[in-house]
Amino acid sequence: MSEEDFFNQLLVETKKQFQISPVRNYQINNNKNWNYAVCETPIQKEKPIIFGLNWGGNDISAQTVHPEFEKEKRDWSFHNNIKHYLQDYLHISNIEELNYSNLCFFRTPNTSYLKNEDWKLSFPLFEAYVNYIKPEFLILLGSVGWSKLKSFGVISNEKKLIFNGIKKRSFGYYGEFLGAYKIGCVPHPQAHISSEARKFIWDAISYKLLQ
């Protein structure tokens, strides 16, 4: 199956799961229009995946077509904040070289709107996305997502990295996802941590992912 055919198949399943989700019922009852999306960059087999918790934003239409390479400038704040880490530690010069998605395909202004049932409905979609791509590795942005993954029982051989800063500790994680793929978790771009801590964690995680 081609990447675009797989995307279309996964989009149909995403819509189906969204239709029965608590977060959709909330939107209907509160006159909201958040919808869902599968990915922001074109699906590329065996390329790394970078992902966060879920799509943000408000009053956005559902995704309908497979993304195209460089159709528009991908000037996202999260990417601008981490692109030099991708370059320096993972030798990735452009977001187009990655698969970019989120753990939950359902869109909300923040994750507090998502119920446990929403996560349960959406997780198999992300699992299918990963298993189709068979990525070299995965990078998760933010430790909250790591806790969510662990709740699904899909993380094995977990190792925790600790940076002891002057005022606070900072953490990173790595392990295996679904027993098959290397995964690392780095601090979210908006996390309030020192540059020293962020560099330490990116350096350690990238070393593990590129072994």
Side-chain angles (χ1 to χ4, degrees):
M1 184 184 300
S2 71
E3 286 88 344
E4 187 167 359
D5 286 343
F6 171 75
F7 168 85
N8 290 328
Q9 176 180 291
L10 188 57
L11 189 66
V12 169
E13 186 62 24
T14 298
K15 180 179 180 179
K16 176 182 174 182
Q17 297 298 81
F18 179 71
Q19 293 290 331
I20 60 174
S21 69
V23 74
R24 178 178 181 271
N25 288 335
Y26 178 89
Q27 292 176 54
I28 292 172
N29 293 334
N30 292 274
N31 196 31
K32 304 295 183 181
N33 184 47
W34 300 334
N35 289 299
Y36 53 85
V38 170
C39 56
E40 189 63 44
T41 56
I43 292 175
Q44 303 173 78
K45 288 184 177 181
E46 299 181 1
K47 293 287 188 178
I49 295 173
I50 188 167
F51 67 109
L53 276 174
N54 81 312
W55 307 105
N58 199 352
D59 195 20
I60 298 175
S61 299
Q63 188 173 24
T64 58
V65 296
H66 188 235
E68 297 180 18
F69 286 105
E70 299 181 346
K71 183 178 180 181
E72 59 185 35
K73 184 178 180 181
R74 305 195 190 281
D75 190 26
W76 310 313
S77 59
F78 100 90
H79 176 238
N80 292 334
N81 289 332
I82 68 168
K83 61 183 180 182
H84 62 286
Y85 292 104
L86 293 174
Q87 292 170 356
D88 294 346
Y89 296 109
L90 294 172
H91 315 301
I92 294 170
S93 59
N94 193 307
I95 193 69
E96 302 284 347
E97 299 173 29
L98 294 166
N99 293 282
Y100 171 40
S101 186
N102 276 289
L103 178 58
C104 181
F105 288 176
F106 307 153
R107 185 184 298 277
T108 58
N110 61 66
T111 56
S112 66
Y113 293 98
L114 296 170
K115 306 299 183 185
N116 286 336
E117 185 63 19
D118 293 312
W119 291 105
K120 290 179 182 178
L121 288 169
S122 185
F123 179 73
L125 305 170
F126 181 75
E127 186 175 11
Y129 174 81
V130 173
N131 281 326
Y132 175 82
I133 292 171
K134 293 180 171 52
E136 180 184 357
F137 55 79
L138 298 94
I139 305 171
L140 170 61
L141 302 174
S143 58
V144 174
W146 190 261
S147 298
K148 181 60 67 175
L149 283 177
K150 287 180 65 177
S151 74
F152 287 110
V154 294
I155 297 294
S156 56
N157 298 321
E158 177 191 22
K159 299 295 181 183
K160 185 176 184 179
L161 298 170
I162 302 174
F163 178 86
N164 289 304
I166 296 174
K167 295 183 178 180
K168 59 181 289 188
R169 287 183 167 187
S170 301
F171 304 98
Y173 304 87
Y174 65 92
E176 289 185 358
F177 179 62
L178 300 174
Y181 310 105
K182 292 183 288 186
I183 184 171
C185 176
V186 298
H188 193 277
Q190 295 179 348
H192 296 294
I193 66 172
S194 68
S195 295
E196 185 182 12
R198 200 178 294 275
K199 290 177 181 178
F200 171 84
I201 293 170
W202 270 93
D203 184 47
I205 293 296
S206 62
Y207 175 79
K208 292 295 183 181
L209 295 180
L210 296 177
Q211 278 185 325

